[in-house]
Amino acid sequence: VNAAQVARWYTSQDYILALPMLLLTLFALGILVIDLLLPREWKKLNAVTAMIGLVFAAVAVYVKIYRPWHGGAITGEMSSAPTGFIQSVVMDPFAIFFFFLFLAAAAIAILMSVRYMEIEREHDGSYYALILFSVVGMMCLAAGTDIVLLFIGLELMSVSTYVLVGFLRSDKRSNEAALKYLLLGAFSSGIFAYGLSLLYGLSSRPDLPQGSTNLSEIAVSLRHYLVADPTNPLVLLALVTTAAGLFFKIAAIPFHQWAPDAYEGAPTTITGFMSVAVKAAAWALLLRIFLVGFGAPEMRELYLPMVVFVAVATMTGGNLAAISQSNLKRLLAYSSIAHVGYMLLGLVAGNATGIKGILLYLLVYTFMNLGAFAVITSLRRRQIIGDEMDDIRGLWFKAPTSALLMFVFLLSLAGIPPLAGFYGKYFIFLALLETGHFVLAAIAVLYIAVAVYYYFRIANAMFMQPALDAEPVTLSPGLATALAITGVFTVGMGLFPDMWIRAVNWSVQMAGGASSVATILR
Amino acid sequence: MKEHILSIILFTPLVGALIVLLIPKEKKDTIRWVANIFAALGFLVSVPLVPWFWKTVDIPGFKFVEGSLNNWIPSIGVSYLIGVDGISFLLVMLTTLLGFVSILSSWNAIEDRVKEYYAWFLVLQTGMLGVFMALDFFLFYVFWEVMLVPMYLLIGIWGGPRKLYAAIKFFLYTLVGSVLMLLGILYIYFNHASQTGEYTFAFVNLLANGTAEYGALMNTAPQIAMPIATWLFFAFFVAFAIKVPMFPFHTWLPDAHVEAPTAGSVILAGVLLKMGTYGLVRFSLPLFPDVAKDETVRFWMVVLSIVGIVYGGLVSLMQKDMKKLVAYSSVSHLGFCTLGIFALNPLGLSGSILQQVNHGISTGALFLIVGVLYERRHTREIAEYGGISSVMPAYATVTLIMFLSSMGLPLLNGFIGEFTILQGAYTENKYWAAWAVSGVVLAAAYLLWLYQRVFFGPVNNPKNEKLEDLSRRELATFIPLVILAFWIGVYPKPFFQILEQPVNQIVRIVRPDYQLGPVRPPVEAQKAAPAETPATPATPQGAQR
């Protein structure tokens, strides 16, 4: 689209497209105000307000964006995706998929939080407000097509999570984790911003001398430079710095060191939230940049070796490091690193099946991993921190339902059919075979055995060892609801995955990404 | 009823498991009764299948087919499609029977966490039946993985001192094989889609008369070019060979068997191992016929089988623990089964499948026998026993029958299976048969020596003086096995008739130029056919594939 044709002023459509984000922001601000008026024992009302905000946002996405522009059907080709704010956001199926994903993850995380934050004696409205703010940032990441908006979204999300990680003010681990996360995160954001600035510089080409911050324009310009010189050093530098920032955010090796510390120190609910929603948002950003901004085939040749290396390193490092962990949160942190390795393989394959695999993986991962964290959250009791392997011992005798659900989540994480987790891996492996990456596929499947080994250490502890403490494990209503939702999804999506696969088939359509995302629609 | 018979057989145990879960865990006897009733029901609902199947025994292909194409996950072409041919029919019947027997045998053996035990056991039963019934690769893979989980828990919770190690070893070994198989399945699925444009995991074509024949993936996979076909063959082979287990992959087996509770061992030896051999027959041969009949591949398969036979026998001789002895004897017996498979002729194949059933009967019984002593004395050391036959006469008789059946004495089932396999191997290469025969000799040695040490002589150990003989419940677990052992031994003809169609079908696919004669039980074959080859002309249908 020519710059001259672009509306100079925001229209009502722009605000309608931004409605979910606006609503969430309003609710977050509202929580901050209401919180001041609430006495201590009424703080859980903040959670209710936040939930209402999430529901409003979800309804807004459905009624104002999804239905009018996409007809409310999860099949068929994307007809037109509305853009707004001078082409800087696009509400394509890809974005809508992630909107719903973030909202669901935030809702489950809030359900898990109420009793936990009370026990931690840190029950404060700003906690829920920050979760909502971070969701706003995530939505910018999923829908943004402009590098400035993407960066703003990334920072909004990251800053909110830095604070959330350190929310347990009296806990040294939490403070340490937040500081580490902040320092490393800021550093990586700096590198990422540097990469984006290079991309902006490179976006200038003879027919567009003033350059552009739009990803599609950047893709064309990068192609222009690469055709002249396939290993243009400046393009290479821009690629490496941008990718490094992205790999940091998804916690891929060798940029993963922050993850285990941050995951261990953060409040368990936030660990769960970060491991699914923040990660999914970072993936949305990564896919948008790699498939649109770096969508040129010449560019793919440049980044492919790098992604292959990072993917294999991530699977290897994550899986092997997880074996020896004795802290449950840390173990799941390393396992989540390993899962990122699998998803990266979808990008290596790079065809529609591969991208579908990534989206489906993120979807199922949201439910099964949040479920696992919900069980770990339930281990936190008045006198017991409850995140060590010893704390989950004998869970079967204390809380059989939780233990059984945890077992289901673990099996699903390991990728045992017919549970939801299997289908993410299924599409990734299929994509690797379709594109002829046999060795990578073999490595990837064999790491499943390693993963089963450490997941089953948890299962062994739950089912085959006696409990160490006599303190009962009970579920608050919120936590029970969260467990029920995640459990039903993990089993239900496993047994009846068809609707979800069709939804992902539709969601894989990305505006401007048609060149790299083959349009196989089945 | 008739059209849903397989689903009923498949899900009866699962329903039982759910009902067991609803009973409060303190009511142990109620749980036992309910579990046993459902196990018995699981067997009883499979009984009508016998006459119904017998009526259709001459119709080729899969019968009692249920489900339609792409009815489970249409977007990727997964079907809930089940059916049985002669091979899977026998294994399904074996599974329902052994499932019942082993649940019955656990009455006194399991005192701890009774409710979970029976629930998982019934889930396991459904998983195993599903593996044999599935006509869709995806469904097959799901059942194949699903049944690992309850078995892992059965070993890990109710097992012996090193149960955790044995359970995880069992799970990881099998998983490594099965994920490679998953890649193989995905490749032939993708290959089929790119050849025909049709996305499906089904490996059969549905026919108008309600039966199904090999088709879909089974048609396109054999055309895959050589280097890739070899890789795929081995991806499947590793999964099945670990499960069987064939020689270098067998190390999980003794651990799992020694640690598993008695009923777990019975099911493990009786049914789980058969999944490996079943997979080889059902998938490895017809999917990759060119690789399977390749002389080098075949040679190594036969070598591994023979090494398994001899090695398993020799190691059995050395064992001091009865259960470990029986476990290693499984390695030896399963070597016969794989030898029969890679003989690639009707005799070898049908002998192999019959021997799988025989092994389920006799080794299942052997584990029960060991379990009976273990329940009384809580030790399986051979040196602890002696002169048991004077203390427990009925037990000694049953044991003798089962030992003789396991070592292959004529008139008992083991003889028929092993003899047919050896016959099949002999027609291919007489050295194969010559080596394999040593396994029969070794089996006689280790079993008779074991019998002598445990049952004969004076009662040296005062603890053994007052052992109770078999209770009625224990006797009930043995009776069906003894009857079957005699039946197959004396009148195996119906079994060969059941196997004739499917086995010939596989041979036609793998070796289209092979002269197919009628498969006869050995005794009858000796009477009927002197030296001449049967005059039946080879059916040229195989060339179509």
Side-chain angles (χ1 to χ4, degrees), chain A residues 396-397 407 411 416-418 422-423 426-427 429-430 433-434 438 441-442 445-446 448-449 452-453 456 460 463-464 495 497-498 501-502 522, chain B residues 72-76 113 116 120 138 141-142 145-146 149 152-153 156-157 164 168 171-172 175-176 179-180 182-183 186-187 189-190 199 201:
Chain A
W396 169 255
F397 306 106
F407 192 45
L411 289 174
I416 305 289
F422 173 70
Y423 296 97
Y426 165 88
F427 279 110
F429 297 153
L430 184 61
L433 293 181
E434 281 174 358
F438 300 128
V445 293
L446 288 176
I448 292 182
V452 163
Y453 179 75
F456 272 37
N460 284 347
F463 289 98
M464 300 168 198
L495 289 178
D498 196 59
I501 293 174
R502 281 189 290 131
R522 292 201 331 101
Chain B
W72 180 17
I73 315 177
S75 50
I76 53 176
R113 301 168 75 176
E116 298 154 65
W120 285 122
F138 197 97
Y141 185 74
V142 167
E145 296 273 277
V146 158
V149 176
Y152 159 78
L153 291 167
I157 298 179
L164 289 185
I168 196 77
F171 200 106
L172 289 185
L175 191 73
V176 165
V179 291
L180 289 175
L182 173 66
L183 283 190
L186 288 179
Y187 189 89
Y189 163 75
F190 156 66
Y199 285 83
F201 277 99

XYZ file of all heavy atoms in Angstrom, chain A residues 396-397 407 411 416-418 422-423 426-427 429-430 433-434 438 441-442 445-446 448-449 452-453 456 460 463-464 495 497-498 501-502 522, chain B residues 72-76 113 116 120 138 141-142 145-146 149 152-153 156-157 164 168 171-172 175-176 179-180 182-183 186-187 189-190 199 201:
616
model
N -0.196 -38.744 45.705
C -1.309 -39.649 45.410
C -2.097 -39.998 46.661
O -3.309 -40.151 46.633
C -0.770 -40.902 44.733
C -1.771 -41.999 44.614
C -1.836 -43.133 45.344
C -2.875 -42.060 43.703
N -2.895 -43.896 44.959
C -3.547 -43.262 43.947
C -3.341 -41.207 42.700
C -4.677 -43.655 43.236
C -4.470 -41.597 41.991
C -5.123 -42.796 42.261
N -1.399 -40.111 47.805
C -2.086 -40.520 49.027
C -2.812 -39.343 49.670
O -3.740 -39.518 50.422
C -1.092 -41.127 50.012
C -0.304 -42.231 49.390
C 1.016 -42.053 49.033
C -0.909 -43.449 49.112
C 1.735 -43.065 48.429
C -0.200 -44.466 48.511
C 1.119 -44.271 48.162
N -0.146 -36.393 36.617
C 0.378 -37.481 35.787
C -0.067 -37.290 34.337
O 0.726 -37.448 33.402
C -0.128 -38.814 36.347
C 0.547 -40.024 35.775
C 1.921 -40.061 35.630
C -0.192 -41.135 35.392
C 2.547 -41.178 35.111
C 0.423 -42.255 34.880
C 1.799 -42.270 34.734
N 2.446 -36.765 31.230
C 2.415 -37.626 30.045
C 2.181 -36.782 28.800
O 2.769 -37.025 27.742
C 1.319 -38.673 30.172
C 1.561 -39.780 31.178
C 0.325 -40.646 31.304
C 2.741 -40.628 30.760
N 2.874 -38.342 25.028
C 2.294 -39.678 24.906
C 0.864 -39.528 24.374
O 0.069 -38.799 24.957
C 2.251 -40.382 26.277
C 3.634 -40.423 26.911
C 1.663 -41.784 26.169
C 4.594 -41.343 26.269
N 0.518 -40.169 23.268
C -0.865 -40.089 22.797
C -1.770 -40.906 23.711
O -1.286 -41.818 24.374
C -0.792 -40.702 21.407
C 0.323 -41.674 21.476
C 1.314 -41.083 22.466
N -3.045 -40.679 23.729
C -3.805 -39.645 23.020
C -4.019 -38.415 23.880
O -5.160 -38.040 24.105
C -5.121 -40.352 22.748
C -5.309 -41.214 23.975
C -3.946 -41.548 24.510
N 0.690 -34.600 22.448
C 1.180 -35.403 21.339
C 1.025 -34.684 20.003
O 1.887 -34.774 19.134
C 0.425 -36.738 21.307
C 0.734 -37.575 20.101
C 1.966 -38.166 19.960
C -0.207 -37.753 19.105
C 2.262 -38.928 18.849
C 0.077 -38.513 18.001
C 1.308 -39.100 17.870
N -0.084 -33.952 19.855
C -0.384 -33.411 18.527
C 0.572 -32.293 18.129
O 0.881 -32.134 16.952
C -1.844 -32.958 18.475
C -2.772 -34.127 18.652
C -3.312 -34.434 19.880
C -3.041 -34.967 17.591
C -4.118 -35.536 20.056
C -3.855 -36.067 17.749
C -4.389 -36.351 18.986
O -5.178 -37.454 19.146
N 3.438 -34.130 16.917
C 3.043 -34.816 15.691
C 3.289 -33.936 14.469
O 3.920 -34.346 13.497
C 1.568 -35.214 15.796
C 0.911 -35.600 14.490
C 0.961 -36.902 14.038
C 0.275 -34.650 13.703
C 0.380 -37.248 12.841
C -0.313 -34.985 12.515
C -0.267 -36.282 12.085
O -0.834 -36.629 10.896
N 2.769 -32.700 14.522
C 2.905 -31.831 13.351
C 4.354 -31.421 13.123
O 4.795 -31.283 11.981
C 2.013 -30.596 13.493
C 0.590 -30.866 13.130
C -0.393 -30.890 14.092
C 0.247 -31.128 11.820
C -1.711 -31.160 13.757
C -1.066 -31.398 11.476
C -2.038 -31.415 12.446
N 7.050 -33.206 13.820
C 7.767 -34.337 13.213
C 7.351 -34.519 11.762
O 8.177 -34.770 10.887
C 7.505 -35.634 13.994
C 8.004 -35.594 15.407
C 7.419 -36.361 16.387
C 9.064 -34.782 15.742
C 7.869 -36.317 17.691
C 9.524 -34.725 17.039
C 8.925 -35.490 18.013
N 6.052 -34.413 11.534
C 5.560 -34.577 10.166
C 6.196 -33.528 9.257
O 6.640 -33.838 8.149
C 4.040 -34.458 10.155
C 3.365 -34.712 8.806
C 3.647 -36.126 8.345
C 1.864 -34.498 8.907
N 9.713 -34.418 8.381
C 9.797 -35.482 7.378
C 9.412 -34.944 6.004
O 10.029 -35.305 4.998
C 8.888 -36.649 7.765
C 9.302 -37.419 9.010
C 8.340 -38.559 9.258
C 10.707 -37.967 8.868
N 8.396 -34.088 5.970
C 7.967 -33.542 4.674
C 9.089 -32.764 4.007
O 9.182 -32.730 2.785
C 6.761 -32.600 4.884
C 5.451 -33.323 5.073
C 4.314 -32.367 5.413
O 4.560 -31.155 5.538
O 3.186 -32.837 5.551
N 15.534 -35.667 8.044
C 15.375 -36.953 8.738
C 16.201 -37.034 10.012
O 15.757 -37.543 11.023
C 15.743 -38.104 7.804
C 14.891 -38.146 6.572
C 15.467 -38.193 5.317
C 13.510 -38.121 6.665
C 14.678 -38.220 4.178
C 12.718 -38.149 5.539
C 13.310 -38.197 4.292
N 14.736 -35.053 12.756
C 13.546 -35.727 13.276
C 13.951 -36.851 14.221
O 13.354 -37.017 15.293
C 12.707 -36.262 12.130
N 14.975 -37.600 13.843
C 15.399 -38.713 14.693
C 15.922 -38.200 16.024
O 15.596 -38.737 17.090
C 16.461 -39.546 13.977
N 12.889 -37.097 18.176
C 12.067 -38.137 18.813
C 12.834 -38.838 19.918
O 12.259 -39.214 20.936
C 11.515 -39.198 17.819
C 10.528 -38.575 16.881
C 12.602 -39.916 17.095
N 14.147 -38.985 19.740
C 14.875 -39.702 20.780
C 14.942 -38.889 22.074
O 14.987 -39.459 23.161
C 16.275 -40.066 20.286
C 16.227 -41.178 19.228
C 17.598 -41.467 18.678
C 15.617 -42.446 19.811
N 12.576 -37.479 23.323
C 11.349 -37.758 24.074
C 11.644 -38.746 25.196
O 11.125 -38.628 26.312
C 10.255 -38.318 23.143
C 9.795 -37.237 22.177
C 9.068 -38.812 23.957
C 8.700 -37.704 21.262
N 12.512 -39.704 24.898
C 12.831 -40.706 25.916
C 13.509 -40.036 27.109
O 13.233 -40.361 28.260
C 13.714 -41.794 25.326
N 10.869 -38.214 29.052
C 10.058 -39.124 29.860
C 10.790 -39.479 31.148
O 10.196 -39.561 32.211
C 9.727 -40.395 29.054
C 9.271 -41.495 29.963
C 8.659 -40.085 28.034
N 12.095 -39.620 31.038
C 12.863 -39.991 32.233
C 12.678 -38.967 33.344
O 12.384 -39.311 34.479
C 14.342 -40.153 31.876
C 15.181 -40.510 33.061
C 15.143 -41.798 33.580
C 15.973 -39.569 33.699
C 15.874 -42.136 34.698
C 16.703 -39.887 34.814
C 16.660 -41.181 35.310
O 17.373 -41.510 36.422
N 9.035 -38.690 34.593
C 8.640 -39.835 35.405
C 9.303 -39.832 36.770
O 8.849 -40.528 37.667
C 8.931 -41.145 34.659
C 7.771 -41.540 33.780
C 7.043 -40.583 33.125
C 7.402 -42.862 33.633
C 5.972 -40.920 32.329
C 6.328 -43.220 32.838
C 5.612 -42.249 32.186
N 7.169 -40.954 39.744
C 7.642 -41.882 40.774
C 7.430 -41.311 42.152
O 6.954 -41.989 43.060
C 9.141 -42.146 40.595
C 9.419 -43.069 39.452
O 8.512 -43.693 38.940
N 10.663 -43.142 39.028
N 3.579 -41.316 43.048
C 2.846 -42.574 43.184
C 3.576 -43.626 44.000
O 2.951 -44.520 44.536
C 2.544 -43.165 41.801
C 1.506 -42.403 41.042
C 1.867 -41.482 40.086
C 0.162 -42.592 41.299
C 0.920 -40.778 39.391
C -0.795 -41.888 40.607
C -0.419 -40.977 39.652
N 4.891 -43.579 44.015
C 5.617 -44.726 44.540
C 6.422 -44.414 45.788
O 7.130 -45.255 46.286
C 6.538 -45.287 43.455
C 5.744 -45.728 42.244
S 6.756 -46.061 40.835
C 5.538 -46.001 39.536
N -8.342 -36.453 22.888
C -9.271 -37.438 22.345
C -10.022 -36.884 21.134
O -10.331 -37.620 20.202
C -10.266 -37.861 23.424
C -9.687 -38.724 24.544
C -10.743 -39.033 25.581
C -9.114 -40.015 23.991
N -9.255 -34.007 18.859
C -8.428 -32.876 18.455
C -8.890 -32.201 17.161
O -8.338 -31.177 16.782
C -7.055 -33.513 18.247
C -7.363 -34.897 17.818
C -8.668 -35.279 18.466
N -9.904 -32.766 16.515
C -10.178 -32.323 15.155
C -10.478 -30.833 15.082
O -9.915 -30.105 14.260
C -11.345 -33.117 14.569
C -11.397 -32.953 13.069
O -10.385 -33.309 12.432
O -12.396 -32.457 12.559
N -7.400 -28.763 15.523
C -6.500 -28.792 14.360
C -7.054 -27.899 13.263
O -6.317 -27.149 12.620
C -6.326 -30.244 13.871
C -5.579 -31.055 14.929
C -5.582 -30.284 12.553
C -5.486 -32.515 14.629
N -8.386 -27.937 13.088
C -8.963 -27.062 12.069
C -8.783 -25.597 12.450
O -8.489 -24.756 11.597
C -10.447 -27.405 11.868
C -10.627 -28.645 10.991
C -12.063 -28.867 10.615
N -12.842 -29.271 11.779
C -13.996 -28.710 12.121
N -14.513 -27.746 11.392
N -14.641 -29.134 13.182
N -6.354 -27.658 4.575
C -7.130 -28.885 4.566
C -8.020 -28.922 5.775
O -7.646 -28.522 6.813
C -6.213 -30.104 4.586
C -5.421 -30.276 3.339
C -4.942 -31.707 3.196
N -4.749 -32.370 4.470
C -5.620 -33.209 4.987
N -6.723 -33.497 4.380
N -5.375 -33.785 6.143
N -12.430 -40.349 13.097
C -11.975 -39.844 14.390
C -11.410 -38.430 14.243
O -11.928 -37.488 14.836
C -10.947 -40.809 15.019
C -10.444 -40.367 16.341
C -11.016 -39.427 17.152
C -9.269 -40.810 17.017
N -10.264 -39.274 18.298
C -9.202 -40.099 18.237
C -8.265 -41.743 16.728
C -8.170 -40.295 19.149
C -7.257 -41.934 17.637
C -7.214 -41.222 18.835
N -10.345 -38.277 13.475
C -9.781 -36.941 13.274
C -9.757 -36.688 11.765
O -8.734 -36.923 11.113
C -8.361 -36.836 13.857
C -8.295 -37.467 15.252
C -7.926 -35.374 13.924
C -6.912 -37.470 15.844
N -10.866 -36.245 11.201
C -10.925 -36.106 9.745
C -9.843 -35.188 9.183
O -9.344 -35.433 8.086
C -12.314 -35.493 9.497
C -13.057 -35.635 10.751
C -12.100 -35.849 11.859
N -9.466 -34.149 9.932
C -8.548 -33.177 9.341
C -7.174 -33.770 9.066
O -6.438 -33.236 8.233
C -8.423 -31.958 10.243
O -8.143 -32.355 11.552
N -6.785 -34.828 9.752
C -5.514 -35.442 9.395
C -5.696 -36.899 8.957
O -4.717 -37.608 8.756
C -4.472 -35.350 10.537
C -5.026 -35.890 11.847
C -4.005 -33.927 10.715
C -4.002 -35.915 12.966
N -3.010 -51.194 48.023
C -3.515 -50.330 46.957
C -4.276 -51.147 45.906
O -4.015 -51.087 44.705
C -2.360 -49.568 46.320
C -1.637 -48.717 47.338
C -0.338 -48.171 46.863
N -0.494 -47.059 45.925
C 0.513 -46.376 45.425
N 1.748 -46.674 45.766
N 0.309 -45.394 44.588
N -6.320 -49.286 42.847
C -5.528 -48.826 41.707
C -5.052 -50.001 40.875
O -5.022 -49.940 39.651
C -4.280 -48.095 42.184
C -4.510 -46.879 42.973
C -3.318 -46.653 43.879
O -2.224 -46.404 43.349
O -3.466 -46.769 45.094
N -5.777 -50.164 36.945
C -4.725 -50.084 35.925
C -4.665 -51.364 35.104
O -4.409 -51.342 33.904
C -3.367 -49.813 36.571
C -3.195 -48.407 37.041
C -2.906 -48.001 38.321
C -3.293 -47.202 36.262
N -2.831 -46.628 38.370
C -3.057 -46.115 37.131
C -3.558 -46.936 34.919
C -3.076 -44.790 36.705
C -3.582 -45.620 34.490
C -3.347 -44.566 35.375
N -2.501 -44.755 13.200
C -2.543 -43.800 14.295
C -3.166 -44.451 15.526
O -2.637 -44.363 16.635
C -3.369 -42.588 13.858
C -3.172 -41.368 14.695
C -2.291 -40.384 14.297
C -3.872 -41.201 15.868
C -2.107 -39.257 15.059
C -3.695 -40.073 16.637
C -2.813 -39.097 16.236
N -0.802 -46.837 17.034
C 0.238 -46.182 17.816
C -0.307 -45.695 19.159
O 0.368 -45.805 20.182
C 0.826 -45.019 17.017
C 1.983 -44.365 17.714
C 3.216 -45.000 17.757
C 1.848 -43.154 18.351
C 4.282 -44.433 18.415
C 2.907 -42.569 19.014
C 4.124 -43.212 19.039
O 5.180 -42.653 19.700
N -1.522 -45.176 19.137
C -2.119 -44.701 20.385
C -2.218 -45.849 21.388
O -1.785 -45.739 22.539
C -3.508 -44.082 20.117
C -4.263 -43.883 21.423
C -3.362 -42.763 19.399
N 1.177 -46.992 22.787
C 1.738 -46.145 23.829
C 0.901 -46.198 25.100
O 1.440 -46.201 26.195
C 1.805 -44.698 23.343
C 2.716 -44.494 22.181
C 4.145 -44.235 22.617
O 4.464 -43.108 22.939
O 4.933 -45.197 22.643
N -0.425 -46.212 24.911
C -1.309 -46.178 26.072
C -1.029 -47.349 27.001
O -1.015 -47.207 28.212
C -2.777 -46.204 25.608
C -3.682 -46.705 26.707
C -3.209 -44.817 25.189
N 1.742 -47.194 29.884
C 1.603 -46.461 31.150
C 1.125 -47.364 32.287
O 1.763 -47.419 33.348
C 0.684 -45.240 30.945
C 0.443 -44.535 32.248
C 1.291 -44.309 29.927
N 3.832 -49.750 33.292
C 4.863 -49.058 34.069
C 4.443 -48.951 35.536
O 5.229 -49.224 36.442
C 5.089 -47.675 33.457
C 5.725 -46.669 34.368
C 7.095 -46.700 34.606
C 4.969 -45.701 34.998
C 7.683 -45.780 35.443
C 5.542 -44.781 35.839
C 6.903 -44.822 36.066
O 7.467 -43.912 36.900
N 3.184 -48.588 35.747
C 2.724 -48.438 37.127
C 2.623 -49.782 37.818
O 2.940 -49.912 39.005
C 1.374 -47.725 37.155
C 1.461 -46.250 36.741
C 0.090 -45.695 36.480
C 2.162 -45.437 37.814
N 6.068 -50.597 38.710
C 6.664 -49.615 39.604
C 6.034 -49.575 40.990
O 6.694 -49.233 41.962
N 4.751 -49.892 41.094
C 4.105 -49.797 42.406
C 4.077 -51.149 43.110
O 4.381 -51.254 44.291
C 2.670 -49.242 42.264
C 2.725 -47.828 41.692
C 1.964 -49.229 43.625
C 1.368 -47.187 41.489
N 11.506 -49.567 40.770
C 11.571 -48.281 40.073
C 12.499 -48.374 38.873
O 12.192 -47.896 37.776
C 12.052 -47.186 41.013
C 11.048 -46.771 42.091
C 11.579 -45.602 42.876
C 9.723 -46.424 41.447
N 11.105 -48.014 34.932
C 11.520 -46.947 34.018
C 12.322 -47.530 32.854
O 12.229 -47.064 31.723
C 12.300 -45.842 34.776
C 12.386 -44.575 33.937
C 13.675 -46.274 35.159
C 11.147 -43.769 33.905
N 9.872 -48.814 30.396
C 9.187 -47.737 29.669
C 10.113 -47.101 28.649
O 9.747 -46.906 27.474
C 8.701 -46.679 30.669
C 7.614 -45.802 30.128
C 6.314 -45.969 30.547
C 7.888 -44.814 29.204
C 5.305 -45.176 30.043
C 6.876 -44.016 28.698
C 5.583 -44.201 29.117
N 11.332 -46.785 29.063
C 12.229 -46.062 28.161
C 12.635 -46.923 26.969
O 12.655 -46.448 25.832
C 13.470 -45.592 28.912
C 13.216 -44.459 29.896
C 14.516 -43.973 30.503
C 12.502 -43.303 29.217
N 9.813 -47.080 24.649
C 9.525 -45.768 24.063
C 10.525 -45.423 22.965
O 10.135 -44.904 21.909
C 9.560 -44.705 25.155
C 9.016 -43.363 24.707
C 7.512 -43.448 24.593
C 9.405 -42.271 25.657
N 11.785 -45.708 23.200
C 12.788 -45.396 22.178
C 12.409 -46.076 20.877
O 12.435 -45.470 19.802
C 14.187 -45.846 22.641
C 15.153 -45.859 21.481
C 14.701 -44.920 23.725
N 9.036 -44.400 19.364
C 9.097 -43.078 18.722
C 9.746 -43.184 17.338
O 9.368 -42.462 16.415
C 9.825 -42.017 19.577
C 9.009 -41.667 20.792
C 11.216 -42.435 19.944
N 10.689 -44.102 17.204
C 11.259 -44.290 15.868
C 10.186 -44.839 14.927
O 10.091 -44.444 13.761
C 12.459 -45.237 15.932
C 13.683 -44.632 16.604
C 14.782 -45.661 16.744
C 14.192 -43.436 15.818
N 7.114 -44.207 15.190
C 6.244 -43.065 14.883
C 6.767 -42.324 13.660
O 5.989 -41.968 12.759
C 6.170 -42.127 16.085
C 5.440 -40.805 15.846
C 3.967 -41.054 15.582
C 5.591 -39.868 17.025
N 8.071 -42.101 13.623
C 8.638 -41.428 12.444
C 8.367 -42.252 11.192
O 8.019 -41.705 10.142
C 10.143 -41.240 12.612
C 10.601 -40.116 13.526
C 12.088 -39.917 13.386
C 9.878 -38.825 13.189
N 4.793 -41.799 10.216
C 4.559 -40.477 9.626
C 5.118 -40.427 8.215
O 4.538 -39.808 7.324
C 5.209 -39.392 10.486
C 4.518 -39.117 11.816
C 5.257 -38.048 12.594
C 3.087 -38.690 11.581
N 6.252 -41.088 8.003
C 6.815 -41.038 6.655
C 5.912 -41.753 5.656
O 5.638 -41.216 4.576
C 8.225 -41.636 6.609
C 8.870 -41.379 5.267
C 9.592 -40.223 5.038
C 8.696 -42.265 4.198
C 10.133 -39.951 3.808
C 9.234 -42.001 2.963
C 9.954 -40.853 2.767
O 10.486 -40.573 1.539
N 2.824 -42.250 5.868
C 1.597 -41.441 5.766
C 1.812 -40.295 4.789
O 1.019 -40.071 3.873
C 1.270 -40.919 7.162
C 0.298 -39.757 7.253
C -1.062 -39.947 7.070
C 0.745 -38.484 7.574
C -1.945 -38.888 7.188
C -0.125 -37.425 7.702
C -1.470 -37.631 7.505
O -2.338 -36.581 7.627
N 2.923 -39.598 4.973
C 3.233 -38.461 4.114
C 3.480 -38.938 2.679
O 3.043 -38.319 1.708
C 4.441 -37.731 4.705
C 5.233 -36.934 3.730
C 4.678 -35.824 3.107
C 6.546 -37.273 3.430
C 5.408 -35.072 2.212
C 7.272 -36.536 2.525
C 6.697 -35.433 1.909
N -4.998 -38.132 2.448
C -4.374 -38.189 3.761
C -5.115 -39.209 4.606
O -6.259 -39.000 4.979
C -4.432 -36.826 4.444
C -3.456 -35.836 3.879
C -3.753 -35.115 2.732
C -2.224 -35.627 4.490
C -2.849 -34.208 2.212
C -1.320 -34.723 3.974
C -1.644 -34.013 2.844
O -0.747 -33.127 2.334
N -4.430 -42.599 7.648
C -3.553 -43.498 8.376
C -4.030 -44.944 8.271
O -3.388 -45.838 8.808
C -3.496 -43.103 9.850
C -2.539 -42.001 10.152
C -2.961 -40.706 10.302
C -1.180 -42.260 10.273
C -2.074 -39.687 10.583
C -0.283 -41.255 10.546
C -0.728 -39.961 10.707
